[in-house]
């Protein structure tokens, strides 16, 4: 009987962890506007364009990264002042660590001067992301 209770407990904990991950997927974190702009690594600085650049940090074998790429590229193609760039951090763990990236895909919205205005962990939700970016677009 103890084994049944242990199994039920393990299933409950696993279910709670799954719900937590689902809730956090695609959540937008806004940066404090009074915060200093971070010192960006060179590979990221080289990707910046006028307006807002969505820098997608991905890894080679990340399936959600491909889905995020489709959403971000389409959003950038349809929105003036918005650019999409992808950086594979598989071989650049120091870049990911410097940016505080713990998972892929992670998307950083950066202004032309390198100020981070928001970040998204996981696959972004198109409408929520566009609404959060509106104040920063021309």
């Amino acid at each position: 009987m103890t084994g049944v209770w242990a199994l039920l407990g393990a299933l409950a904990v696993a279910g709670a962890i799954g719900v937590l991950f689902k809730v956090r997927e695609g959540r937008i974190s806004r940066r404090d506007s009074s915060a200093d702009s971070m010192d960006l690594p060179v590979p990221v600085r080289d990707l910046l364009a006028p307006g807002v650049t969505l820098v997608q940090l991905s890894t080679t074998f990340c399936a959600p990264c491909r889905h995020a790429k489709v959403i971000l590229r389409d959003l950038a193609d349809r929105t003036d002042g918005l650019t999409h760039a992808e950086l594979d951090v598989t071989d650049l763990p120091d870049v990911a660590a410097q940016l505080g990236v713990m998972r892929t895909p992670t998307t950083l919205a950066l202004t032309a001067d390198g100020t981070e205005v928001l970040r998204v962990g996981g696959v972004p939700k198109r409408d929520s992301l566009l609404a959060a970016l509106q104040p920063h677009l021309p």
Side-chain angles (χ1 to χ4, degrees), residues 91-128:
D91 297 324
L92 303 170
D94 53 325
V95 172
Q98 186 175 351
L99 294 172
V101 173
M102 302 301 286
R103 65 182 285 197
T104 57
T106 294
T107 304
L108 307 176
L110 303 169
T111 59
D113 66 353
T115 302
E116 180 181 330
V117 293
L118 60 87
R119 70 174 50 200
V120 180
V123 178
K125 295 171 181 68
R126 172 193 303 271
D127 296 335
S128 300

Side-chain angles (χ1 to χ4, degrees), residues 49-54 75-76 78-84 110-111 133 136-138:
V52 176
T53 304
L54 297 174
L75 185 62
R78 295 172 184 242
T79 308
D80 291 333
L82 191 60
T83 306
H84 171 252
L110 303 169
T111 59
L133 287 171
H136 306 287
L137 295 173

Side-chain angles (χ1 to χ4, degrees), residues 14-24:
I17 291 172
V19 168
L20 178 65
F21 279 124
K22 186 69 174 168
V23 167
R24 295 190 64 188

Side-chain angles (χ1 to χ4, degrees), residues 13-131:
V13 169
I17 291 172
V19 168
L20 178 65
F21 279 124
K22 186 69 174 168
V23 167
R24 295 190 64 188
E25 179 71 20
R27 188 172 63 177
I28 297 172
S29 303
R30 290 177 178 78
R31 297 294 286 190
D32 181 11
S33 59
S34 64
D36 297 337
S37 62
M38 71 173 85
D39 186 26
L40 293 174
V42 173
V44 176
R45 233 178 314 153
D46 291 345
L47 298 173
L48 297 180
V52 176
T53 304
L54 297 174
V55 178
Q56 177 187 342
L57 302 169
S58 303
T59 52
T60 304
F61 298 106
C62 168
C65 295
R66 290 188 287 277
H67 186 64
K69 181 179 181 177
V70 170
I71 291 170
L72 295 172
R73 183 170 286 160
D74 182 59
L75 185 62
D77 288 345
R78 295 172 184 242
T79 308
D80 291 333
L82 191 60
T83 306
H84 171 252
E86 185 177 12
L87 181 63
D88 187 335
V89 293
T90 303
D91 297 324
L92 303 170
D94 53 325
V95 172
Q98 186 175 351
L99 294 172
V101 173
M102 302 301 286
R103 65 182 285 197
T104 57
T106 294
T107 304
L108 307 176
L110 303 169
T111 59
D113 66 353
T115 302
E116 180 181 330
V117 293
L118 60 87
R119 70 174 50 200
V120 180
V123 178
K125 295 171 181 68
R126 172 193 303 271
D127 296 335
S128 300
L129 180 58
L130 186 57

